[in-house]
Amino acid sequence: MSQSDTKAKSPVVVMTGATAGIGAHALRKLAASNCRIIVGTRGTAPEFGESLPLDLSSLESVWAFAGMVQETLEDESIDALVLNAGTAFSDTTQSTEDGFEITFAVNHLSHYLLARLLLPKMSHRGRLIITTSDVHAQAPKPLNIGVWSSARADGSGMKAYAASKLCNLLTARSLTLQEIARERECEIIAYNPGLTVRTSLSRHSAKWQRLLMNNGLVHLLLRLGSNFIPMMYPGSPERAGEALAQLTLGEATPPEGRVYASLVRGELTYPDPSELASDDDARDSLWQESAKMVGLPAT
């Protein structure tokens, strides 16, 4: 068998957020599983796979990246689209070049657009995974897209992050309803890695928050507290990345009808999402508003 034949038979994975944290650990496992991996990067070369430029704070860059992925793959389909990149800030004062609050833009809107653009490239029974968070349950109610999509001086960075993660979960639920996803029997998964310490997610957060997340005594206290509140468990990026890879490869699969995969004390579970994440009106409203923001039809 020729080298080109071997490459063509490798599962194709397109991934964001693969150069650090849980994504980098997932990338290593995917590479070891003989996947062909295309990584969207913002300057930092991934440890494995092919790299294409992607800046999630720019919708123009997202459009360009999606086009490059399609050109690079030619007739090959995407077996797994992993939308893992994320960011968090201490406030909501920063805007992107498109005029959106940066946490909302990077965590939700650009991944929404990327999912819409690359879904037609997915293989039969392909997997689309969006990294969410259990803090989605702490998002302000009701979810006001007009508020959270706009930068402002009086906004809480933590609330903005929670709102963006709620958007990820609602988007995953919407994607299961799309005709092309249903026809191709795509598996749509919203993955919560849990509280994961020693990652770069908090690099833009306040200094005291970064110190807490890297303090061994705090980790011990969190571990003890997780006996009563499981979401407090301080997981490792290695285990969170391994679970992400397992979902990507189909080694772990949610039960039929479930989209939410949550890592709880190191084990994958498939619970119901929060009440607001289960709200069909919020789901549909977010889909329609996001479509307008990126210049796509809602259907």
Side-chain angles (χ1 to χ4, degrees), residues 82-129:
V82 184
L83 306 177
N84 175 64
T87 192
F89 290 83
S90 58
D91 54 41
T92 58
T93 59
Q94 297 188 58
S95 291
T96 66
E97 62 184 40
D98 302 295
F100 299 108
E101 193 277 323
I102 193 166
T103 305
F104 176 86
V106 170
N107 293 0
H108 163 62
L109 197 60
S110 287
H111 281 141
Y112 166 88
L113 176 58
L114 201 51
R116 292 286 306 269
L117 296 177
L118 292 181
L119 191 59
K121 192 70 173 171
M122 297 288 292
S123 64
H124 181 67
R125 294 191 175 177
R127 294 198 154 206
L128 192 158
I129 301 170

Side-chain angles (χ1 to χ4, degrees), residues 38-43 46 50-55 64-70 72:
I38 297 176
V39 179
T41 63
R42 191 181 174 183
E50 307 163 50
S51 177
L52 292 175
L54 173 62
D55 180 355
F65 173 76
M68 286 185 285
V69 167
Q70 295 180 51
T72 300

Side-chain angles (χ1 to χ4, degrees), residues 155-217:
S156 160
M158 189 61 232
K159 288 183 179 179
Y161 179 76
S164 73
K165 295 290 102 178
L166 173 61
C167 289
N168 291 149
L169 219 166
L170 290 170
T171 297
R173 292 189 60 231
S174 288
L175 286 166
T176 66
L177 304 177
Q178 300 310 298
E179 184 176 353
I180 189 169
R182 296 168 71 90
E183 288 176 350
R184 298 185 185 182
E185 300 181 54
C186 292
E187 184 83 62
I188 312 295
I189 302 171
Y191 168 56
N192 162 44
L195 176 62
T196 309
V197 299
R198 294 184 287 107
T199 72
S200 60
L201 178 64
S202 61
R203 63 189 179 277
H204 300 300
S205 300
K207 185 176 180 180
W208 66 268
Q209 292 174 313
R210 297 196 302 271
L211 290 173
L212 281 178
M213 291 303 295
N214 290 286
N215 185 288
L217 178 58

